[in-house]
Amino acid sequence: MRKIKIIFLIPNLKIGGAERTFTNIINNIDKRKYSCILALYKKEGYLINKINKNVKVINLSASNSFTAIIKLVKEINLHNPDILFSTLRYP
C-alpha cells in the first residue's frame, strides 16, 4: 500500500496551541500509512526540539506568508504531496 504524503505548514514552532497540535499529530501519526513533512516559515521555536528525528523538516526561510508561498510551491512540486495541511489563518 502506498503511503499518503502530507506536508504540514506552519510559520514556526514557538509555544502555542496550533504548534503543540502539529507536534502531537506529526509525532503520533501512523508512519506505516503516512509520510510527513513539516514545512516551517522559519525553523525556530521551543517545540522544534520535540519533533521526532525521523520527520523531515523544511525551513522555507520566509519572513511572511507571501514569500513562504513562493517557496512552498517549489516544495510541493518537488515532493508532490497528497495533502497540504495547516490550521492557522494566513498559511
Side-chain angles (χ1 to χ4, degrees), residues 33-45:
K33 295 180 182 179
Y34 302 97
S35 172
C36 299
I37 298 171
L38 176 60
L40 301 168
Y41 288 18
K42 290 188 180 185
K43 189 176 177 180
E44 64 183 9

Side-chain angles (χ1 to χ4, degrees), residues 9-26:
L9 176 65
I10 196 162
N12 57 55
L13 285 178
K14 294 179 181 177
I15 294 180
E19 294 82 358
R20 187 166 304 283
T21 299
F22 268 53
T23 302
N24 288 334
I25 292 171
I26 290 170

